Amino acid sequence: MTQPRRDDVAFATRLPKAELHLHIEGTLEPELMFELARRNGVRLPYASVDDVRRAYVFSDLQSFLDIYYAGCAVLVTEQDFYDLTWAYLTRAAAQGVRHAEIFFDPQTHTDRDVPFETVITGIHRALEAGRDRLRLTSGLILCFLRHLTEAAALSTLAEALPYRDWIVAVGLDSSESGHPPAKFKTAYERAREAGFRAVAHAGEEGPPAYIWEALDLLQARRIDHGVRCVEDERLVGRLVEEQIPLTVCPLSNVRLRVFPDLRAHNLRRLLERGLLVTVNSDDPAYFGGYVGDNFRAVAGALDLSRDQLVALARNSFVASFLPDEQKRTHLDEVARFAAQPSLKTIS
């Protein structure tokens, strides 16, 4: 593994980029968790911030989700969701993010009797503030929890319809194993009828067949994770031919044991084979890094060149749901940034 030079670290951090795979509940840092617990009178099963961080040792996706859902208990009021989202936006902006398409899990909160309106209004207010104060544009993606029923997903979709102007797409997350995309075919059909785009988590723990289902049955136009596509050469060929984006999350994949370590990750191989891969942070408070941290980590572990880092940044805007004119503006910025002399300091 090559240790990145100081100026390469700065390059990876400041490189203009979009983030397309980010669960806003997964940005809940332990410090904010404790602050919100005190604010709302919620008792946590941890004595300190250090105790929380020590708990972040996961054997698989489910072991992470158990802690993730427990942490969400501190999110109660509209201001809580605002504070959570604003904290993410400020960190993201400092790591070169110009545009973010953010997942939220309303069922995690409505099942605790937190109103849908409370959740989405708090997040939306922060996203508006991010546009005004940070010049960071954004989109919001409503995720259905796949371990719940399709009927529950349809109910959540109905709650979302009054806020359709605030939501760019629907997605599918939570426990992948045993919950194939086909389970949500009707929910996705209704979402398309309502004008929502479609993405779906597939091919992280689940097999390549789940990616096929997401594409063919859900008509997903972006696959979240998708790293197991390499087990099916015909699938790889289709992803390349159709340039279906994969929103890859390297540090997350290692922390959840999808790969034994970062050097074993297949990101570089996917990129070199012509897939439209992007780098993202998933649940950065739990997995050890935000998107710029992921860029820096893969640059060193996989010996990525600056040209390859630039390609990943370009892919992030190409794969976004931004209008073509805004994509071109961001791609021009990436090109200008890449043409600069070496960056000697980290700002």
Side-chain angles (χ1 to χ4, degrees):
M1 180 175 74
T2 301
Q3 187 68 26
R5 299 179 306 173
R6 183 177 176 82
D7 56 329
D8 286 337
V9 169
F11 184 89
T13 303
R14 294 173 55 188
L15 181 62
K17 56 184 75 72
E19 178 150 42
L20 307 178
H21 187 150
L22 182 284
H23 300 269
I24 197 62
E25 293 90 350
T27 68
L28 182 61
E29 294 286 347
E31 292 82 2
L32 182 58
M33 185 187 297
F34 271 83
E35 179 183 335
L36 298 184
R38 285 191 295 270
R39 179 194 293 179
N40 296 317
V42 174
R43 184 177 180 85
L44 291 172
Y46 309 106
S48 68
V49 166
D50 288 340
D51 281 350
V52 175
R53 294 196 188 281
R54 279 193 289 270
Y56 293 173
V57 179
F58 312 114
S59 58
D60 56 16
L61 178 59
Q62 189 59 53
S63 65
F64 153 67
L65 290 171
D66 292 341
I67 292 177
Y68 170 90
Y69 291 129
C72 285
V74 304
L75 298 165
V76 178
T77 70
E78 181 180 317
Q79 189 62 41
D80 297 339
F81 290 96
Y82 178 96
D83 291 346
L84 173 71
T85 306
W86 180 251
Y88 162 71
L89 294 173
T90 56
R91 288 187 176 95
Q95 294 200 358
V97 176
R98 302 290 192 268
H99 176 73
E101 294 176 3
I102 294 169
F103 298 125
F104 77 118
D105 291 339
Q107 291 162 290
T108 297
H109 314 296
T110 56
D111 283 357
R112 298 182 292 111
D113 296 323
V114 178
F116 187 100
E117 179 183 13
T118 296
V119 179
I120 196 169
T121 302
I123 296 171
H124 178 74
R125 282 201 302 114
L127 297 182
E128 289 289 294
R131 292 185 184 96
D132 294 340
R133 295 161 58 184
L134 301 172
R135 299 180 64 189
L136 195 162
T137 60
S138 54
L140 195 54
I141 299 174
L142 182 159
C143 280
F144 303 126
L145 297 183
R146 68 200 307 156
H147 68 277
L148 301 179
T149 65
E150 184 177 49
L154 287 166
S155 177
T156 296
L157 179 63
E159 287 192 89
L161 293 180
Y163 307 96
R164 71 181 73 203
D165 291 343
W166 294 359
I167 300 169
V168 298
V170 296
L172 188 64
D173 65 7
S174 189
S175 312
E176 187 179 5
S177 182
H179 300 287
K183 177 180 172 183
F184 295 90
K185 184 175 183 290
T186 299
Y188 269 72
E189 288 173 351
R190 300 277 177 82
R192 282 196 303 278
E193 291 169 1
F196 296 121
R197 298 178 178 91
V199 303
H201 285 52
E204 178 193 17
E205 283 197 328
Y210 281 18
I211 301 176
W212 284 105
E213 286 189 11
L215 296 173
D216 293 335
L217 300 183
L218 306 189
Q219 296 185 30
R221 301 318 299 158
R222 203 162 69 201
I223 298 297
D224 301 310
H225 292 299
V227 291
R228 290 189 61 187
C229 68
V230 294
E231 298 170 23
D232 183 336
E233 280 299 313
R234 190 165 66 91
L235 176 59
V236 170
R238 177 180 179 181
L239 294 172
V240 172
E241 180 181 357
E242 297 183 17
Q243 285 294 278
I244 301 294
L246 302 183
T247 63
V248 178
C249 304
L251 291 178
S252 166
N253 291 160
V254 172
R255 291 293 290 270
L256 296 184
R257 313 297 175 88
V258 179
F259 296 94
D261 57 55
L262 207 51
R263 288 172 294 183
H265 201 287
N266 64 9
L267 174 71
R268 178 170 179 157
R269 180 157 53 120
L270 296 172
L271 185 63
E272 291 175 342
R273 293 198 63 177
L275 284 92
L276 186 63
V277 290
T278 68
V279 168
N280 310 271
S281 65
D282 202 3
D283 299 277
Y286 296 89
F287 298 146
Y290 288 77
V291 66
D293 303 314
N294 275 265
F295 265 78
R296 292 197 303 271
V298 295
L302 302 178
D303 292 331
L304 297 184
S305 68
R306 288 196 173 192
D307 286 346
Q308 288 172 314
L309 294 175
V310 169
L312 290 167
R314 286 180 56 83
N315 287 353
S316 71
F317 292 113
V318 171
S320 75
F321 292 136
L322 285 167
D324 288 344
E325 183 177 350
Q326 291 183 41
K327 288 184 182 183
R328 285 193 293 270
T329 298
H330 286 299
L331 292 172
D332 288 345
E333 184 189 8
V334 172
R336 289 193 301 273
F337 184 90
Q340 292 182 102
S342 295
L343 301 170
K344 298 302 183 184
T345 59
I346 301 176
S347 63

